[in-house]
Amino acid sequence: MFNKRVKIRDAVQMAAGREEITVMGWVRTFRNNQFIALNDGSSNDQLQIVLELGKFDDGLLKKITTGASVKATGLLLESPGKGQKVELKASALEILGESDPEKFPLQPKKHSLEFLREIAHLRFRTNTFGAVFRLRHGLAFATHQFFQERGFIYLHTPVITATDAEGAGEMFKVTTLPFDSTPRTESGDVNFREDFFGRATNLTVSGQLEGELAAMGLGEIYTFGPTFRAENSNTARHLAEFWMIEPEMAFYDLEDNMDLAEAFVRYLIHYSLKNNRADLEFLDQRLAEEEKQKLQAERNDQGLIEKLESVANQNFQRISYTEAIDILRDSSSYKKKKFKYDVAWGIDLQSEHERYLVEKHFKKPVIVTGYPKEIKAFYMRQQEDGKTVAAMDILAPGIGEIVGGSQREERLDKLEARMREMDIPLEQMWWYLDTRRFGTVPHSGFGLGFERMVQFVSGMSNIRDVIPFPRTPKNAEF
Ligand code: ATP
Ligand code: MN
């Protein structure tokens, strides 16, 4: 068996031993022809491999370069050097894969995140991305654990859909029709009857509508899968392909929905604090360094772990949209015309408004409820006032909207009326409306953008740095 190795995460915790162990990994640095700093991705710990002078031939030593992969066997000894408890005194060393130091793009120095994005295939070998992707994994695992503990069913909704009614964003078309001799109808439109599915299809923007169907039989479900939006917004919090977690629950009203969403966000943070502590400590340090580069006035006085602890341990602020508008209009930022976008009842809150509420006014996450129906989707439950819907968004410091959800309209007549107002073809949605025809119940759900959550917990400022291979306008490398 080849892979009889100890992971470095475990090796650095072991006591100096009597038995030889084998480790494998990638060389981070090699000093004085004697000391290899080896990392294998199991954590950011590096095991020092000590090569006795004269024991290994020059040809081999030359091949120990940054980026090369090696297999080392030896005894763990107490390390006289500082920074590590033990080191491995190599009795055997094998080069698994060489790495030409002239060509290997990762040098043992600090690279910019922008540069690392261009070599996203190699950035897994850096401390920052090691920490980010272990954290991301932890959050995905915690998601399943959270819903498992509450008896939710993990539902796989389709990636290819024919629904274009959601209005969540521009969609990517899915087709096998040829581009040169596209079949046309008599009126000159593209004839989708000849397409693969016999109709126009797209990549999904959300699994919600199908999620609702399942909740109307299974009770409580959640989806966790990729979603796609062809929105041409080149921001630090939008991707064309991102992962979303969407629970849908029968017998939940808006308040139940908020309680679940808040519990979920806080659970994820608690999980990371407990299970990804070392990586969070690394990212905390990293962020502190980054903050030092900023002007005093723009610095964040709260560290990453401090921020996470405060968010996980206190209740989120809950306010209505109308209250939010009042607070914004009363703010000095508004009076001094510091907002780029105007504030009036009826607007969609812009990111600058969301951040004011969260970072300046309340200094904690805020749940805003009761948005004007004009700026929200057709399926949200209409409230008594005739103007607002039972929507709720969770706004987080540094990120803005992290969760968007609502109580769904369960009354067939109200739903149909709203769909007509919004020109949504009722016939095409017959299956969705059937749930309101047969045994309709009050129900709710929300969507949490997974990358936004990873951004929040990791403190990474650009969403491109929390997904392995980001898809954004004009970029689909790797
Ligand atoms: P935003 O206003 O930030 O564009 P949205 O209102 O379009 O968000 P929803 O349609 O409610 O968002 O989607 C649910 C969640 O998915 C959002 O709260 C957010 O966390 C996440 N999300 C939405 N669009 C994107 C995107 N392009 N990239 C990454 N995450 C996204
Ligand atoms: Mn959007």
Side-chain angles (χ1 to χ4, degrees):
M1 190 168 56
F2 180 71
N3 191 3
K4 220 176 164 204
R5 66 170 175 132
V6 175
K7 289 196 181 178
I8 289 175
R9 181 189 58 200
D10 302 324
V12 294
Q13 300 295 339
M14 288 163 73
R18 303 138 299 242
E19 253 177 78
E20 291 206 327
I21 63 162
T22 294
V23 294
M24 298 182 214
W26 293 269
V27 174
R28 285 290 175 83
T29 57
F30 185 38
R31 285 188 297 122
N32 302 347
N33 262 350
Q34 274 186 89
F35 305 107
I36 302 174
L38 197 69
N39 180 274
D40 69 358
S42 55
S43 73
N44 269 346
D45 291 317
Q46 297 177 17
L47 182 64
Q48 172 151 286
I49 314 290
V50 183
L51 307 182
E52 206 178 310
L53 282 171
K55 185 172 156 80
F56 298 89
D57 71 67
D58 279 355
L60 179 95
L61 294 177
K62 277 216 180 64
K63 292 179 182 167
I64 308 174
T65 56
T66 298
S69 47
V70 304
K71 171 178 180 180
T73 301
L75 278 179
L76 277 180
L77 305 177
E78 265 173 47
S79 175
K82 54 176 197 278
Q84 67 246 347
K85 252 178 24 195
V86 290
E87 58 190 25
L88 187 112
K89 181 150 189 272
S91 60
L93 187 88
E94 188 187 325
I95 306 284
L96 299 175
E98 294 176 33
S99 172
D100 183 344
E102 298 289 306
K103 295 189 181 137
F104 186 57
L106 278 176
Q107 297 305 316
K109 63 158 202 175
K110 218 170 150 45
H111 291 290
S112 73
L113 295 172
E114 289 76 13
F115 171 71
L116 292 172
R117 249 171 252 152
E118 288 167 18
I119 50 162
H121 59 306
L122 294 172
R123 64 180 180 172
F124 301 105
R125 294 196 201 175
T126 65
N127 285 338
T128 299
F129 288 94
V132 166
F133 291 119
R134 282 187 297 270
L135 190 65
R136 182 181 168 111
H137 161 78
L139 289 167
F141 183 80
T143 293
H144 291 297
Q145 191 168 284
F146 174 85
F147 289 112
Q148 173 69 14
E149 283 171 5
R150 284 161 184 75
F152 282 55
I153 303 295
Y154 178 29
L155 188 84
H156 300 105
T157 49
V159 168
I160 299 175
T161 69
T163 334
D164 57 4
E166 234 259 320
E170 288 296 305
M171 288 185 283
F172 290 100
K173 296 186 172 62
V174 175
T175 180
T176 55
L177 290 178
F179 289 123
D180 37 11
S181 53
T182 318
R184 301 272 166 186
T185 60
E186 272 168 22
S187 55
D189 299 332
V190 174
N191 187 358
F192 284 107
R193 282 178 194 280
E194 291 192 27
D195 204 349
F196 188 91
F197 296 106
R199 61 194 299 175
T201 51
N202 331 284
L203 291 178
T204 187
V205 293
S206 157
Q208 179 200 316
L209 300 185
E210 289 93 348
E212 280 187 57
L213 310 180
M216 290 300 118
L218 294 169
E220 295 163 324
I221 66 94
Y222 69 106
T223 72
F224 186 177
T227 50
F228 307 85
R229 295 188 187 179
E231 48 194 6
N232 204 352
S233 41
N234 244 318
T235 76
R237 33 182 225 121
H238 286 92
L239 291 164
E241 176 180 306
F242 65 100
W243 288 65
M244 194 150 51
I245 296 152
E246 295 181 280
E248 276 301 320
M249 301 76 65
F251 321 115
Y252 268 54
D253 68 9
L254 186 65
E255 196 185 351
D256 301 322
N257 199 22
M258 284 193 275
D259 289 346
L260 183 79
E262 178 173 339
F264 179 39
V265 169
R266 290 169 65 178
Y267 182 100
L268 291 180
I269 298 172
H270 276 299
Y271 181 94
S272 308
L273 284 167
K274 181 152 176 252
N275 298 283
N276 288 82
R277 192 79 197 183
D279 287 325
L280 281 181
E281 278 165 8
F282 173 84
L283 292 166
D284 188 314
Q285 279 274 314
R286 192 198 151 272
L287 200 65
E289 294 288 319
E290 212 179 71
E291 289 291 318
K292 277 195 211 144
Q293 314 296 318
K294 293 188 188 165
L295 295 172
Q296 189 76 42
E298 287 160 23
R299 272 185 216 163
N300 213 328
D301 35 353
Q302 221 181 19
L304 178 65
I305 292 184
E306 205 187 332
K307 171 190 87 175
L308 294 175
E309 279 171 348
S310 102
V311 168
N313 292 321
Q314 59 179 326
N315 293 334
F316 295 178
Q317 183 70 39
R318 298 183 183 191
I319 58 168
S320 71
Y321 169 88
T322 303
E323 285 169 298
I325 294 293
D326 290 344
I327 290 169
L328 290 168
R329 286 185 67 105
D330 278 342
S331 70
S332 63
S333 295
Y334 177 76
K335 289 177 182 153
K336 290 186 193 151
K337 300 202 177 0
K338 286 214 179 125
F339 290 134
K340 200 169 142 218
Y341 296 89
D342 194 20
V343 181
W345 201 96
I347 62 153
D348 202 356
L349 296 180
Q350 297 295 325
S351 156
E352 56 178 356
H353 306 140
E354 297 177 344
R355 295 187 65 165
Y356 177 87
L357 291 170
V358 172
E359 289 159 34
K360 298 251 157 58
H361 193 82
F362 290 111
K363 299 192 193 314
K364 57 170 157 169
V366 176
I367 312 185
V368 181
T369 55
Y371 283 80
K373 63 178 185 196
E374 277 72 26
I375 58 169
K376 290 289 182 185
F378 74 92
Y379 49 70
M380 296 194 180
R381 194 173 198 277
Q382 297 157 50
Q383 309 209 99
E384 303 306 309
D385 60 14
K387 294 191 299 191
T388 62
V389 287
M392 62 103 181
D393 282 2
I394 300 186
L395 315 177
I399 308 279
E401 182 185 333
I402 195 163
V403 167
S406 70
Q407 182 169 344
R408 315 307 189 192
E409 182 56 81
E410 85 282 12
R411 299 160 296 187
L412 183 64
D413 54 335
K414 300 249 187 223
L415 182 59
E416 287 185 335
R418 188 71 189 132
M419 289 171 79
R420 279 194 199 94
E421 274 170 25
M422 293 176 75
D423 283 326
I424 292 163
L426 274 77
E427 327 72 62
Q428 264 185 39
M429 303 285 289
W430 62 275
W431 43 271
Y432 186 71
L433 293 168
D434 262 5
T435 55
R436 275 64 169 177
R437 288 192 184 103
F438 310 114
T440 192
V441 299
H443 66 288
S444 300
F446 63 85
L448 175 134
F450 188 55
E451 284 75 18
R452 297 231 180 130
M453 190 67 205
V454 183
Q455 254 190 298
F456 182 73
V457 180
S458 66
M460 299 298 283
S461 51
N462 196 311
I463 199 164
R464 292 166 180 78
D465 296 329
V466 298
I467 187 164
F469 302 106
R471 268 59 180 127
T472 50
K474 300 282 178 282
N475 175 38
E477 188 74 48
F478 310 108

